[in-house]
Amino acid sequence: MPNRLATEPSPYLLQHADNPVDWYPWGEEALEKARREDRPILLSIGYSACHWCHVMAHDCFEDAEVAAVMNRLFVNIKVDREERPDLDQIYQAAHQLLAGRGGGWPLTVFLTPDQTPFFAGTYFPKTPRYNLPGFIDLMENVARAWHERRGEVLAQNAALREALAEQQPAAGGDAPLTAAPLAQAVRDLAQAFDPVWGGFSRAPKFPRPGELFFLLRRAQAGDAQARDMALLTLRRMASGGVVDQLGGGFCRYSVDEQWAIPHFEKMLYDNGPLLQLYADAWAMTGEALFRDTAEGIVGWLLREMRAPEGGFYSALDADSEGHEGRFYVWTPDEARALLSAEEWSVAAPVYGFDAPPNFENTHWNPILAKPLAEVAASLGIPATGAAQRLASARARLFAAREKRVRPGCDDKQLTAWNALMIAGLAHAGRVMQRPDWVAEAHAALDFVRAKLWRDGRLLASCKQGEARLNGYLDDYAFLLDALLEALQAGFREQDLAWACELADALLAHFEDAESGGFFFTSHDHEALITRPKPGYDNATPSGNGVAAFALQRLGHLLGEARYLDASQRCLRLFHAHLTQMPVAYPTLLAVLDEALVLPRVILLRGPQPALGEWVDALAPKLGVRDMLFALPNGAALPAALAKPEADRPTAWVCSGTACQPPVTALSGLLA
């Protein structure tokens, strides 16, 4: 019989609806049962595309013997980390404290009935292996500790709650803001940089867009070292197997230092920021690899991730037919049988099919092993001919792959992750002059507003038209930033009005007006064992960093002191952290950068299509601190932007409160 998860909308929870485990979703029913029966809670957190979550489900949660022990000893709660990032954030931090190392998914945490964790781990097998205890033995020992050594458990709980509270940033001081953290972050990244394969760690390697955004900002400021590190990393990633060379889009991370073999899940939250990065890298260099990679991300997005009712799905699974990567990889004979001799002569060396299989010694995961020009030269054929053969080979391989059993799709639409993709689409559409991408960004914004914005508040998740869950800081911050990108890509009155509503809601429901910064959960959110105020970037940028960045920009655009002051309070709160470990806070470093050197606001007013011609001419000249808004005649605007209408474009250029005289000639503005 299905358990209680069968009525949940989360695709991840539904994956466990037929387990013999007596699962509860997180909620008062389960929490009250634990308190009433004085039973510890077994909390399992994961997500639908997670390979090791599937492994543990098969090893343990589908096993009747394991389930019987779980049901006898614990109240069992399953959580989708994508729906409840508040819970995931708290219990990942607790795992770090309890286990002395970083966590991950699946996250397995044992809680006392008051929700305090007293033992934590990640994946556990049914029987001992991989130097891990068997899950049945572990559960028996944990339950025994709760019943027989309760005094020790409660003492540890008190210490753990105190340690979680101490992780909160202390109130900021009055030390002057300086550029020292910006220079220190470049030095720290240079020390960690892999000069051969790019990236800033050994295997496994994650894309970490925040660090690359920061380096590209420094590159625009003239830092050659930052430029070289960012561009080499972006080239190596785009040439590896962490990006789908046939279908476009990035997987979550690479298990090796060469970016060749990923864990094959594709997440929406990675691909939005990466789209923005590759568009900027193309604008900086004109390299075809960067353009092709950006186009591949958008092609994958619109083909596989766009929901019929609007917005974008969350993720694609790593597994299909019970095997990780099966959809994406090839046997040595499979690819060759599909291609003509001419196609194979180019595709084999380009994709690395002429080398030993790189995936589990039996399959190939395509990479860009050799430059196309080099292959063309070795074959003695023109580059255009080689490109045609490769395009034909890629099309054949892709068409054959489309007939395979597809990975599962997590079809919920998350506000925060949609916002990251909307920002990427709008930014890349503007930079690469793709109005069709800007239109997709606008359509996704309209979906979010129609389905996830209700009575002046955001909801966090939507599935099959049903929106639910109180929005988090990331939902508001990321969406505000996306609106500012969309307004620069194609001005719409309703987007500016909505940006102001969002900013006001952000201040009203999340800001700590006394100490500065923003809580991850709203003031009226469910009370949990701690209330984080995160400032460092993870796989996604920090909500505090993005909130401060977007409020600062909106404040300069509208001359609104409330937004500027809130941004400044947030920056002050985290300033000591920026000084001590700047590389952990790349988004807040961008806030610091624009607090030290104010962004430049360029307003254009006039008729279409002349405004569009000016925007196209200005685009290559814009710096990282420039914001360009083309305001067409007839648009209803707030007082700060209500510039006089004319029959030809006029430009106003302002930095902070200092504005230059209006410019009516494009040549003068370009100068």
Side-chain angles (χ1 to χ4, degrees), residues 98 366 467:
L98 289 168

Side-chain angles (χ1 to χ4, degrees), residues 331-372:
T331 64
D333 297 327
E334 208 175 13
R336 186 163 199 162
L338 288 166
L339 305 180
S340 70
E342 291 77 14
E343 290 166 340
W344 177 258
S345 69
V346 174
V350 168
Y351 290 140
F353 290 171
D354 58 351
N358 60 5
F359 182 66
E360 298 180 347
N361 298 316
T362 59
H363 290 73
W364 283 312
N365 183 44
I367 62 172
L368 297 184
K370 289 183 182 175
L372 184 61

Side-chain angles (χ1 to χ4, degrees), residues 18 83 111 124 142 149 172 184 186 196 231 241 255 259 275 360 380 388 439 449 483 531 534 539 545 559 596:
D18 293 318
E83 284 194 333
L111 318 179
F124 292 103
V142 168
R149 297 159 51 200
Q184 185 60 49
V186 175
V196 177
L231 294 180
V255 302
W259 304 103
L275 172 58
E360 298 180 347
Q388 289 169 355
R449 183 162 190 171
L483 282 165
R531 194 177 177 202
L596 295 171

Side-chain angles (χ1 to χ4, degrees), residues 2 10 94 140 223 238 250 292 294 307 334 388 442 479 552 567 610 614 639:
S10 159
E140 297 279 7
D223 188 323
F250 279 82
D292 294 346
E334 208 175 13
Q388 289 169 355
H442 284 153
L479 188 57
Q552 184 168 252
S567 176
W614 279 43

Side-chain angles (χ1 to χ4, degrees), residues 174-330:
D174 296 322
L177 302 177
T178 73
L182 305 176
Q184 185 60 49
V186 175
R187 289 194 292 271
D188 291 346
L189 287 170
Q191 194 167 16
F193 182 62
D194 180 341
V196 177
W197 295 104
F200 305 96
S201 70
R202 296 180 179 176
K205 280 186 174 173
F206 290 78
R208 303 186 68 84
E211 294 168 353
L212 297 171
F213 274 125
F214 167 73
L215 290 173
L216 286 183
R217 287 184 68 89
R218 301 312 299 158
Q220 283 215 357
D223 188 323
Q225 184 182 31
R227 175 189 171 102
D228 291 345
M229 288 192 289
L231 294 180
L232 176 66
T233 300
L234 289 167
R235 285 188 198 103
R236 292 300 198 194
M237 285 166 47
S239 300
V242 73
V243 66
D244 180 353
Q245 295 294 345
L246 300 182
F250 279 82
C251 299
R252 192 164 72 93
Y253 68 96
S254 171
V255 302
D256 62 281
E257 66 178 4
Q258 300 177 21
W259 304 103
I261 305 299
H263 267 314
F264 285 87
E265 64 263 39
K266 290 184 181 178
M267 316 300 292
L268 188 69
Y269 69 73
D270 283 321
N271 283 280
L274 287 166
L275 172 58
Q276 190 166 336
L277 279 167
Y278 277 97
D280 285 343
W282 173 82
M284 188 176 286
T285 66
E287 291 182 26
L289 176 64
F290 297 148
R291 178 200 65 218
D292 294 346
T293 305
E295 290 176 347
I297 293 172
V298 179
W300 162 75
L301 175 78
L302 301 183
R303 185 181 66 246
E304 300 186 35
M305 303 302 285
R306 182 166 52 182
E309 63 270 29
F312 303 107
Y313 297 140
S314 297
L316 295 182
D317 207 323
D319 300 4
S320 56
E321 300 181 86
H323 295 273
E324 186 182 11
R326 173 167 285 189
F327 181 77
Y328 299 100
V329 300
W330 302 84

Side-chain angles (χ1 to χ4, degrees), residues 170-177 515 567-576:
D174 296 322
L177 302 177
S515 300
S567 176
Q568 188 73 192
R569 285 192 294 270
C570 182
L571 182 59
R572 286 281 176 195
L573 175 68
F574 290 102
H575 185 238

Side-chain angles (χ1 to χ4, degrees), residues 83-102:
E83 284 194 333
R84 293 301 303 262
D86 53 338
L87 295 170
D88 186 55
Q89 196 170 125
I90 289 169
Y91 291 111
Q92 293 285 356
H95 177 279
Q96 177 77 48
L97 291 169
L98 289 168
R101 60 183 182 277

